[in-house]
Amino acid sequence: MKKMMMLAIMAFATTTIFAQEDVVKNAKKLLDKGDVEEAIKAVQPALTAGTNESKAAAWNLLCSAQYKKFSDIQGKKLENQVKQTNEPIDEAAMNAAAVAALEAAMKCDEFDNMPNEKGKVKPRFRSENQKIFQNGRLNCINAGQYEYNQKNYEGAFKAFAMYVDSGDSPLFTGLDMSQDQYKYEVAYFASLSAYQSKDYPNVIKYAQIAAQDTAKAKDATEILVFSKRETMKTKQDTLEYIDMLKDASQKFPADNRYSAWIGDYYLNSGNNQELLKWAEGEIAKNPNDKFGYTYKGEALRLSGKYDDAVECYKKAFEIDPTYVAAAYQAGVSLNSKAIELKDQLADKKTGKLTVENANKIKAILSDAKTYLEKVRELDPNREQVNWAYALYQMYYSLGDNEKASELESLVGGN
């Protein structure tokens, strides 16, 4: 009985093998007749059943069918260009087929290099597929670009990632794939496509690959920072984000955004001591760091040290005479200083000022007005800061009613 069962199992296995071989043969007949879509459908059952040899053959057939589909549509596209005709083509299908063909070739190679029933490895398809896809994999770049422009970011990611990953595939064993001039740039676009789809694990994976190249390191770092900022949940995440910003600021000192983002973080967290400590460290590293002086000024201003804060803002504006934010903060801080000093100097009973003290206040307000007028000159359309009310208040405090009235329409619209 046991022997009969074993014979039955062997017979079933043999039948299954022949069945899978028949599936592949039938699919090949369809492909040879040019019926590509039917061939792709027909071979599907053999992709996951049967021996390693039969699976390799099935995946190779699928690869051939997808590549023919790609080639046929590409041929029509080229014909349109040569003949200057406009025959409709399915470019999305063409690109999808290019990616699917390479994917099938790698899957074929996986099974093609597994032991057969006798425990031996005898690859049949690698050599031919290497010839096709060593350069044919470049079609994945075109596919990715097309899908990205169509805002199909998932499709773009798949194409770009396929190109990057395939360079390390065993399919290309024996070939020198190290001189890939496109790898890091395509890895960056794979990361960018993943970012558009909020697929953050793949953002990190491919951005880290791109960052290995000097030419793409800056762009890759930027997208890593953006991703970290958007996925922060814990205190540890926040600390890692700040460390990333500090590292990026050190690597790319010409990109002032990283310093600004660090300063904004400390400023928004309300930790004036950390903000001051960090800003002073930035100034120590670079005495001409306008952001360092600005954020130091913010820390001092929030601590009520207006004189010291104003000096920092003035220094930042001296370093960069087009730096609107520094000039604006200098103006409003001087105004705050004037208000505080007025409260200190006013008569406790009448609230009035002596002529001498009034002149002290007026001198500070005049200084504030100078900076706010400079802001107005640099940013007339209030695109960077909304200076209208601050300057209006300054004119009003100084008794310049004519100039104050000129700003009433702007103030009223705020």
Side-chain angles (χ1 to χ4, degrees):
M1 183 69 177
K2 192 172 184 179
K3 185 176 181 180
M4 290 177 65
M5 287 181 66
M6 289 299 296
L7 289 171
I9 291 170
M10 290 174 64
F12 176 76
T14 303
T15 303
T16 301
I17 292 169
F18 285 131
Q20 301 310 316
E21 289 177 351
D22 287 342
V23 168
V24 176
K25 286 179 182 178
N26 290 333
K28 188 174 188 309
K29 288 179 182 178
L30 291 167
L31 182 61
D32 290 342
K33 290 193 303 181
D35 200 341
V36 176
E37 294 296 341
E38 287 303 315
I40 291 172
K41 292 178 185 176
V43 78
Q44 295 300 316
L47 298 175
T48 55
T51 64
N52 292 333
E53 287 179 295
S54 66
K55 289 177 187 175
W59 280 104
N60 190 64
L61 191 283
L62 179 62
C63 170
S64 298
Q66 292 285 11
Y67 197 75
K68 178 170 174 52
K69 180 179 179 179
F70 161 76
S71 298
D72 287 348
I73 301 174
Q74 185 189 52
K76 291 178 182 177
K77 182 178 180 180
L78 292 173
E79 187 177 338
N80 276 343
Q81 293 173 354
V82 172
K83 294 182 178 180
Q84 295 186 336
T85 55
N86 195 28
E87 183 181 342
I89 63 165
D90 191 342
E91 195 157 355
M94 178 186 77
N95 291 317
V99 177
L102 178 55
E103 185 177 25
M106 292 193 296
K107 197 69 178 177
C108 165
D109 193 72
E110 177 186 333
F111 288 111
D112 201 24
N113 285 273
M114 288 182 179
N116 60 21
E117 290 179 302
K118 296 181 180 179
K120 295 182 180 181
V121 177
K122 292 184 178 181
R124 295 176 290 163
F125 305 109
R126 176 176 284 179
S127 179
E128 185 61 28
N129 284 336
Q130 279 186 347
K131 292 176 185 177
I132 295 171
F133 291 103
Q134 184 177 10
N135 291 319
R137 59 192 283 265
L138 290 168
N139 294 312
C140 290
I141 301 178
N142 296 330
Q145 289 176 327
Y146 174 83
E147 297 300 342
Y148 192 90
N149 290 336
Q150 298 298 311
K151 301 188 186 305
N152 176 14
Y153 300 117
E154 291 182 4
F157 167 74
K158 182 176 182 179
F160 289 136
M162 181 64 67
Y163 177 85
V164 176
D165 294 344
S166 64
D168 297 322
S169 171
L171 172 63
F172 298 109
T173 299
L175 301 179
D176 182 9
M177 303 296 285
S178 62
Q179 305 302 313
D180 188 342
Q181 61 180 313
Y182 303 112
K183 176 180 178 179
Y184 299 108
E185 185 169 5
V186 177
Y188 168 73
F189 280 104
S191 177
L192 186 60
S193 300
Y195 179 78
Q196 297 286 6
S197 300
K198 300 188 183 303
D199 179 4
Y200 294 111
N202 278 318
V203 172
I204 294 169
K205 175 182 176 181
Y206 290 95
Q208 287 178 337
I209 294 172
Q212 296 171 25
D213 180 58
T214 304
K216 298 307 299 180
K218 184 175 182 293
D219 291 337
T221 297
E222 177 184 75
I223 202 168
L224 283 168
V225 167
F226 286 164
S227 297
K228 189 65 177 179
R229 184 166 63 189
E230 292 182 17
T231 56
M232 289 189 300
K233 293 181 180 178
T234 66
K235 183 178 180 180
Q236 182 60 34
D237 289 335
T238 302
L239 294 174
E240 290 173 1
Y241 170 66
I242 296 301
D243 285 341
M244 286 179 70
L245 290 178
K246 289 178 178 178
D247 183 59
S249 179
Q250 186 173 359
K251 287 180 179 176
F252 311 107
D255 191 335
N256 294 322
R257 293 175 304 165
Y258 297 116
S259 290
W261 290 338
I262 296 169
D264 285 344
Y265 166 75
Y266 285 130
L267 184 62
N268 294 331
S269 68
N271 194 334
N272 289 347
Q273 289 303 313
E274 280 296 320
L275 177 59
L276 182 61
K277 180 181 176 182
W278 169 78
E280 288 179 335
E282 294 299 292
I283 294 168
K285 288 187 292 185
N286 177 13
N288 289 316
D289 187 342
K290 66 180 182 181
F291 290 110
Y293 280 106
T294 301
Y295 284 108
K296 182 179 179 180
E298 288 291 275
L300 293 168
R301 178 182 65 82
L302 292 170
S303 300
K305 299 177 181 178
Y306 295 115
D307 285 340
D308 293 334
V310 168
E311 290 307 309
C312 288
Y313 296 136
K314 287 183 175 182
K315 179 64 177 178
F317 192 60
E318 179 185 319
I319 293 169
D320 181 359
T322 66
Y323 189 18
V324 169
Y328 178 76
Q329 290 296 354
V332 295
S333 294
L334 283 164
N335 183 52
S336 296
K337 176 186 174 181
I339 293 171
E340 185 179 81
L341 186 60
K342 181 180 178 181
D343 290 340
Q344 293 173 0
L345 298 178
D347 185 276
K348 302 304 178 187
K349 293 182 179 180
T350 65
K352 294 183 178 180
L353 293 166
T354 65
V355 174
E356 181 182 358
N357 287 336
N359 287 335
K360 289 179 181 179
I361 303 301
K362 186 175 181 180
I364 296 171
L365 292 174
S366 295
D367 197 9
K369 183 190 73 167
T370 299
Y371 280 96
L372 291 173
E373 286 181 334
K374 191 65 179 177
V375 171
R376 182 182 189 180
E377 178 185 329
L378 293 169
D379 185 27
N381 296 320
R382 297 178 292 168
E383 294 173 349
Q384 296 183 54
V385 294
N386 194 352
W387 45 260
Y389 182 76
L391 186 56
Y392 169 82
Q393 187 182 45
M394 205 61 52
Y395 287 141
Y396 183 81
S397 297
L398 288 168
D400 194 337
N401 296 328
E402 182 178 347
K403 287 189 176 180
S405 64
E406 292 174 1
L407 296 178
E408 283 181 354
S409 60
L410 296 180
V411 172
N414 289 339

